[in-house]
Amino acid sequence: MSNGNGVAATLSDAAESVKEKASEIGDAVASTASATVAKAKKAAKSAEKSVKSKVANAKKAVAKRTEKASKAVKKTVANAKKKLAAASADAKKEVASLKKKVAGKKTAAKKATKKVAKKATAKKAAVKKAVKKAPAKKAAAKKAPAKKAAAKKAPARKAAAKKAPMKKAAAKKAPAKKAAKKAAKKK
């Protein structure tokens, strides 16, 4: 039996040494794992800090850029408003000056038409006087052409009532004016 006791002792010693080795390995693994965990925690914290700082920097950069962009937009809008206001003022001035010019032209045109009308009536009166004076001084032979001119005037009035009063009347009166001018020259 002594052989059995020796085997039992050897087995118990081996089991004990295995147990010790297992606890040593377990302790080593646990300490290594805890160190690894601690390192991982530190790395995570540092990564979190760096991410936070990068995000903060990015936000600042975006804020600066948007500020600059908004200032630039405000400046361009202000400049555009100034230009539009100046263009509007210039256009209003131009419209006012054009209105003045048109009003001046209208009054000038009215004055010119009045002058032309006065001259035309004066010429008609002069022609009538010349026609009346010429037959009085000259012989009966000279009166006949004046009567022809007068005779031509009567049909012109009838024709004027029918068609285009201004053109035909003017065409018929032209010989009377020529006759009156010739009579005035012979004096």
Side-chain angles (χ1 to χ4, degrees), residues 132-151:
K132 286 180 182 178
K133 286 181 182 177
K137 289 182 180 179
K138 300 296 176 179
K142 296 280 183 172
K143 284 184 180 179
K147 286 181 181 178
K148 285 182 184 176

Side-chain angles (χ1 to χ4, degrees), residues 3-187:
N3 282 345
N5 283 339
V7 170
T10 306
L11 283 176
S12 67
D13 284 339
E16 255 181 67
S17 73
V18 168
K19 182 181 171 186
E20 284 177 13
K21 283 287 182 191
S23 69
E24 283 177 13
I25 290 173
D27 288 340
V29 167
S31 66
T32 305
S34 64
T36 305
V37 167
K39 284 181 184 178
K41 282 184 181 179
K42 280 184 182 178
K45 282 184 181 178
S46 66
E48 186 179 0
K49 284 181 183 177
S50 68
V51 166
K52 283 183 180 178
S53 66
K54 287 180 181 177
V55 167
N57 289 340
K59 284 182 181 178
K60 287 179 185 176
V62 168
K64 282 183 183 177
R65 286 182 184 164
T66 53
E67 241 180 272
K68 285 181 182 177
S70 65
K71 284 181 183 178
V73 167
K74 286 178 184 176
K75 281 184 183 178
T76 53
V77 167
N79 288 339
K81 283 183 180 178
K82 286 179 185 176
K83 287 179 183 177
L84 286 173
S88 174
D90 290 343
K92 286 179 182 176
K93 287 179 186 175
E94 191 173 343
V95 166
S97 68
L98 288 174
K99 282 184 179 178
K100 286 180 183 176
K101 283 183 183 177
V102 168
K105 286 182 180 178
K106 283 183 180 178
T107 55
K110 285 181 182 178
K111 288 179 183 176
T113 55
K114 285 181 182 178
K115 285 182 181 178
V116 169
K118 285 181 182 178
K119 286 182 181 178
T121 55
K123 284 183 181 178
K124 285 181 183 178
V127 168
K128 286 181 181 178
K129 286 180 183 177
V131 170
K132 286 180 182 178
K133 286 181 182 177
K137 289 182 180 179
K138 300 296 176 179
K142 296 280 183 172
K143 284 184 180 179
K147 286 181 181 178
K148 285 182 184 176
K152 285 182 182 177
K153 282 186 180 178
R157 286 181 189 157
K158 288 178 185 176
K162 293 178 184 177
K163 293 181 184 175
M166 295 304 269
K167 289 183 181 177
K168 287 193 176 183
K172 297 288 182 177
K173 286 183 182 178
K177 285 183 182 178
K178 286 182 182 177
K181 284 183 183 178
K182 286 181 182 179
K185 286 181 183 179
K186 287 182 180 178
K187 287 181 189 175

